Amino acid sequence: MMRERRPRGFEVSLKHLRAANSVAVYGSFTAAAADLGMTQSAVSRLVLQLERQLGVSLFLRSTRNVILTAPGREFTASIQRLLADLGAQVDNARALGEQIKGRLIVSCLLSLTHHVVPEAVLKYRKAHPGVEIHLREGLGSQVYEDVRSGFADFGVGNVTALGHEVVSDDVVQESCFAILPSRHPLRDKSTLSLRELRNEAFVSLPTGSGLRQQIDSVATANGIVLKHSTIVEQFGTLYDFVGANVGISIVPASALPPRAPRGVVVKRLVSPPLVRKIGILRLKNRPLTPAATGFLDIFRPLFLSASRR
């Protein structure tokens, strides 16, 4: 029996495994070659390479027949299970690929559409080009209503005060940060308190925004009145205005780009810290479509990473 020293590592391909399996099934290199559409010498070479990798002989060869050795019986039985499992997974993947077509409607807070959702959409489109994605950007109340009414496949929004028909998954508590013009007098401070910002002109979201309401609520609870001097509808505009020295702002972690935009510095807010709870919203009694499940598989890790930044 072959007892060669095993090489470092183990390098075999599906061709090696299929060759050994076919020889085991047919008991002949000639029949295996016909089954695989290869020459007999090619099948013999693949089996020999596999045996050298394993360091054992899988077959006893003679001029009349081929017999499995004890290690050969064990190993080829494992090969058959592996190839069967692989075939099933290939069939499942093809079936899933055929299912993931049509239209996907996602309702999402404005903060997430700034950079997290675009990254997820880009990856999803490469994997499932047959799906049309409809993204609805809105405030927390709009996201909730889109999900509650069944219009959206799922939403990403605030998880407070949800009705019984809507449930939340992957709930996170994300910190909020102050963003300042890069030449602002407070730019060199490592952290900022809300009280230090009370006399600043703010670039803010509308009063209907859950984030705006939370900021005002925390400020009021601490005897602080903030100056909401400029109101914008989008986070991209908000960053542009801060960078243009129109004012300062407060944004959640999920709205922070990987790198601060030009002309803007980011500072952690402390005393009191501002934390909001958001999650993935869906109808309790309606299963997600394959298109929605596929998108969430891509979106979820990006969302969790961004919210914990």
Side-chain angles (χ1 to χ4, degrees):
M1 184 174 291
M2 185 180 301
R3 292 294 181 188
E4 295 183 8
R5 176 181 292 182
R6 298 182 186 181
R8 297 179 66 181
F10 184 67
E11 298 179 1
V12 298
S13 66
L14 282 175
K15 283 186 176 181
H16 293 95
L17 300 181
R18 286 182 174 131
N21 179 65
S22 191
V23 173
V25 170
Y26 292 101
S28 163
F29 281 89
T30 301
D35 174 54
L36 297 171
M38 303 170 66
T39 64
Q40 181 177 337
S41 61
V43 174
S44 297
R45 183 167 59 253
L46 287 170
V47 172
L48 182 59
Q49 290 171 349
L50 177 59
E51 289 176 323
R52 286 174 176 169
Q53 285 285 318
L54 294 171
V56 298
S57 294
L58 301 176
F59 303 97
L60 295 175
R61 300 152 171 89
S62 70
T63 56
R64 302 184 61 180
N65 55 22
V66 177
I67 301 173
L68 281 165
T69 63
R73 283 192 297 272
E74 291 291 330
F75 188 72
T76 55
S78 297
I79 292 176
Q80 290 172 6
R81 291 193 295 270
L82 185 151
L83 292 177
D85 288 344
L86 178 61
Q89 292 301 322
V90 169
D91 290 341
N92 288 339
R94 286 173 175 167
L96 184 59
E98 292 174 356
Q99 291 174 6
I100 300 184
K101 293 180 180 178
R103 191 182 192 198
L104 173 65
I105 301 177
V106 180
S107 186
C108 191
L109 290 172
L110 296 169
S111 57
L112 274 297
T113 60
H114 187 53
H115 69 93
V116 179
V117 172
E119 185 177 356
V121 170
L122 178 62
K123 293 182 178 181
Y124 184 77
R125 291 286 295 169
K126 290 180 179 178
H128 308 294
V131 178
E132 174 189 329
I133 301 172
H134 182 188
L135 177 64
R136 287 173 61 87
E137 307 171 71
L139 305 178
S141 58
Q142 296 167 322
V143 173
Y144 172 77
E145 184 56 30
D146 281 349
V147 175
R148 189 205 61 78
S149 66
F151 181 81
D153 290 281
F154 67 89
V156 186
N158 301 319
V159 299
T160 55
L162 297 180
H164 68 277
E165 68 269 54
V166 175
V167 296
S168 56
D169 301 319
D170 300 296
V171 176
V172 298
Q173 297 189 63
E174 60 172 356
S175 299
C176 292
F177 297 79
I179 60 171
L180 317 173
S182 57
R183 295 184 180 181
H184 194 278
L186 297 174
R187 66 184 181 277
D188 294 326
K189 299 202 66 171
S190 58
T191 61
L192 292 173
S193 69
L194 202 57
R195 190 165 297 279
E196 290 177 287
L197 305 179
R198 66 188 183 281
N199 295 321
E200 300 290 336
F202 269 75
V203 179
S204 306
L205 295 177
T207 54
S209 161
L211 176 65
R212 165 75 178 273
Q213 292 172 2
Q214 184 175 3
I215 293 170
D216 287 344
S217 175
V218 172
T220 299
N222 287 270
I224 302 169
V225 178
L226 301 178
K227 298 179 179 179
H228 299 289
S229 301
T230 306
I231 309 302
V232 298
E233 300 284 343
Q234 301 290 335
F235 275 86
T237 308
L238 185 148
Y239 278 106
D240 289 343
F241 276 40
V242 172
N245 204 28
V246 173
I248 70 166
S249 192
I250 294 175
V251 300
S254 58
L256 291 175
R259 291 178 296 276
R262 185 176 180 180
V264 172
V265 293
V266 179
K267 301 295 177 181
R268 182 175 292 277
L269 271 177
V270 297
S271 182
L274 269 166
V275 178
R276 74 167 183 174
K277 293 177 67 174
I278 59 174
I280 297 169
L281 310 182
R282 58 180 175 81
L283 276 177
K284 182 178 182 180
N285 296 320
R286 186 174 78 175
L288 293 172
T289 65
T293 300
F295 185 86
L296 284 175
D297 286 342
I298 295 172
F299 172 78
R300 186 176 285 108
L302 298 173
F303 165 62
L304 296 176
S305 175
S307 61
R308 293 167 180 165
R309 184 174 298 125

